[in-house]
Amino acid sequence: MEFVQEHYLLLLIPMISAVVGWFTNFLAVKMMFYPIEFIGIKPIFGWQGLIPMKRREMAEIEVELVLGKLLSVQEIAGRLDADEISKNIHRRLKQVIRKVVNDVMQEAAPTAWASLPAQGKNLVYARIEMDIPNVVRKIISDFKHNVTEILDIKELVVTQLVNNPKLINEIFLSAGAKEFPFIEKSGLYFGFLLGIPTMITWIYYPVWWVLPLGGLIVGYLTNWIAIKIIFEPKNPIKVGPFTLQGMFLKRQEEVARVYAEIVDKKVMNSENITDIVLHGSGSDNLLELIELHVNDAIERYVSITQPYFALGVGSKNYYRMKQLAAQRLFENTGKYMLYAYEYAHGALRIGDDLCEKMQALSPEEFEGVLRPAYQADEWKLIVTGAVLGMAAGFFQIYFIFN
């Protein structure tokens, strides 16, 4: 009976190692992503998921390794058709322009505008509305030629992911949908297997430090082995009937589709692109472009009577009127451009383009999609596993084999 009890306790060593391996890996994965916001007392006591905490750095790495290399703003913008955009926004733009004209004239030339009869105002509106497709075509054409000065992919992606930490979690969790559960489960299997040498060592050398050291090694190796299996070997290696390659790299086509879909729908969609174009670092360049074409249009509208018109409103007010008109149109861009979102989304084809190019990446390049999630603080996850494993070893010493 004593023999059975003694060996029963020994069997607990690999079983506890299995539990430790599973728990440390489970905890390591959760610590990468949760909590989204810092919980505790800053700056020392508390925790925030490693990915949300370093989301700016992660986003910049993703752009540098993947998006910035694969997507060209010139190529994307080149797919826009000015006539299609004009057709989609025409009705709403007409309404916006009427209000802009009315507001600008009341502010820049109130007396002249008030004295103009309704029929005269309608003629002004009609003349401007007739020219809308022409002006839109010119603005879109110049936008395409100067898009690199107006739209910055890095700024767009980093802004979206920094402002929405849940989104960067979603990208990594979706890309690693099979790898992260594997890490958790593998801790159970590797923990059990690695616990067997600890048990054998304890049978022949039952010194107090054997179990804590064994637990430390189990906690360390289960994390390390799991991460290695995900990314190594990079290129397929034939071993008899089997082909060995990192789990994540084997799923390149599948991951590319999932990753590209999220980027297309939630990061680089028409709405977000419009927002960064209007409020990002290149917005001044867009305003300058709009001013150029609005001023040109106004000059053409009043070309016949311009000397008398400028005298009537005053040259200072005349130039102020042109400046205000461009500024107001720019400020109201979001109101009419939203009617082109659906067309633009289909025309830009960012998701299809990104997916195709990601699937063509080499294994070394494709690793950059998910690897940053581990590399930044990989050592923390492994050390956490080692510390917890050692704690489990001390637990066995004091409560089981005391």
Side-chain angles (χ1 to χ4, degrees):
M1 187 69 181
E2 186 178 338
F3 175 82
V4 172
Q5 185 179 7
E6 182 181 344
H7 284 73
Y8 167 74
L9 290 176
L10 288 172
L11 286 174
L12 284 178
I13 294 175
M15 292 173 68
I16 290 174
S17 292
V19 172
V20 168
W22 168 81
F23 180 71
T24 54
N25 285 16
F26 170 82
L27 188 63
V29 170
K30 297 306 175 190
M31 287 171 67
M32 286 173 66
F33 298 99
Y34 304 104
I36 300 287
E37 302 294 341
F38 185 88
I39 292 178
I41 303 171
K42 289 186 177 183
I44 302 172
F45 302 104
W47 186 260
Q48 181 181 12
L50 297 175
I51 302 296
M53 180 176 66
K54 295 198 169 185
R55 55 188 181 272
R56 177 175 293 278
E57 180 184 338
M58 294 289 177
E60 289 173 351
I61 291 172
E62 284 298 297
V63 174
E64 182 182 343
L65 296 182
V66 184
L67 299 176
K69 287 184 177 180
L70 301 184
L71 297 177
S72 162
V73 287
Q74 295 100 323
E75 186 180 346
I76 292 169
R79 296 168 186 161
L80 295 172
D81 185 283
D83 292 332
E84 285 296 323
I85 291 177
S86 180
K87 190 188 303 180
N88 280 273
I89 67 174
H90 189 78
R91 184 177 175 182
R92 182 63 177 127
L93 182 55
K94 277 171 60 177
Q95 297 170 345
V96 169
I97 283 179
R98 286 198 171 217
K99 186 175 188 310
V100 167
V101 170
N102 190 56
D103 291 348
V104 168
M105 291 302 293
Q106 284 183 351
E107 192 170 337
T111 305
W113 187 245
S115 63
L116 191 65
Q119 187 178 5
K121 290 176 182 176
N122 287 333
L123 285 173
V124 172
Y125 296 142
R127 176 67 184 87
I128 294 172
E129 289 165 6
M130 186 174 64
D131 200 33
I132 285 175
N134 178 48
V135 176
V136 169
R137 195 178 300 113
K138 288 180 178 179
I139 291 175
I140 296 297
S141 176
D142 275 3
F143 173 79
K144 289 191 213 180
H145 284 102
N146 299 280
V147 68
T148 53
E149 298 174 14
I150 298 171
L151 173 61
D152 182 351
I153 286 183
K154 181 176 181 179
E155 183 182 19
L156 167 61
V157 174
V158 171
T159 299
Q160 291 302 317
L161 297 185
V162 167
N163 292 340
N164 187 357
K166 289 182 181 178
L167 184 55
I168 195 167
N169 269 8
E170 182 182 351
I171 288 174
F172 282 119
L173 286 169
S174 299
K178 292 186 179 177
E179 286 70 31
F180 291 119
F182 167 77
I183 288 177
E184 295 175 15
K185 292 175 184 176
S186 68
L188 189 70
Y189 312 136
F190 295 137
F192 183 83
L193 293 174
L194 292 169
I196 294 173
T198 305
M199 178 186 71
I200 294 171
T201 304
W202 176 258
I203 291 172
Y204 294 102
Y205 199 67
V207 183
W208 70 268
W209 50 263
V210 168
L211 294 179
L213 178 62
L216 183 146
I217 293 171
V218 168
Y220 177 91
L221 287 180
T222 50
N223 270 323
W224 184 82
I225 292 172
I227 291 172
K228 283 294 178 185
I229 288 175
I230 288 174
F231 295 107
E232 301 289 345
K234 288 184 174 60
N235 295 296
I237 297 174
K238 273 280 186 182
V239 179
F242 304 103
T243 301
L244 302 180
Q245 189 181 18
M247 275 184 66
F248 179 69
L249 304 175
K250 267 186 182 179
R251 297 196 309 116
Q252 182 164 345
E253 287 194 10
E254 178 188 345
V255 172
R257 283 194 298 272
V258 173
Y259 185 95
E261 184 178 358
I262 295 175
V263 170
D264 182 46
K265 290 183 177 179
K266 298 186 178 181
V267 181
M268 297 185 67
N269 57 41
S270 302
E271 186 176 355
N272 292 343
I273 291 173
T274 302
D275 183 70
I276 205 69
V277 162
L278 295 177
H279 305 110
S281 59
S283 60
D284 288 343
N285 295 322
L286 178 62
L287 175 58
E288 186 179 323
L289 188 152
I290 291 174
E291 281 180 342
L292 174 68
H293 290 287
V294 168
N295 288 346
D296 177 64
I298 292 173
E299 294 286 352
R300 283 186 286 107
Y301 300 154
V302 298
S303 59
I304 298 173
T305 59
Q306 183 178 345
Y308 308 104
F309 183 83
L311 285 172
V313 301
S315 58
K316 185 177 179 181
N317 284 339
Y318 176 63
Y319 288 112
R320 184 161 174 265
M321 177 191 74
K322 293 197 292 184
Q323 185 181 22
L324 279 173
Q327 182 67 43
R328 297 289 167 79
L329 270 177
F330 175 78
E331 290 170 355
N332 286 277
T333 302
K335 292 182 180 178
Y336 52 84
M337 281 306 297
L338 65 89
Y339 290 88
Y341 286 168
E342 188 175 346
Y343 157 73
H345 182 76
L348 295 176
R349 302 193 310 276
I350 290 174
D352 294 339
D353 190 23
L354 181 59
C355 178
E356 183 181 338
K357 290 178 179 178
M358 284 180 69
Q359 289 175 343
L361 288 173
S362 68
E364 289 81 6
E365 292 170 321
F366 186 72
E367 184 184 29
V369 175
L370 190 62
R371 188 62 169 171
Y374 295 96
Q375 277 184 327
D377 289 285
E378 191 174 292
W379 67 272
K380 288 184 182 178
L381 306 179
I382 293 174
V383 167
T384 298
V387 170
L388 290 173
M390 185 168 63
F394 280 113
F395 172 83
Q396 292 175 82
I397 284 290
Y398 287 106
F399 295 99
I400 298 176
F401 295 102
N402 189 354

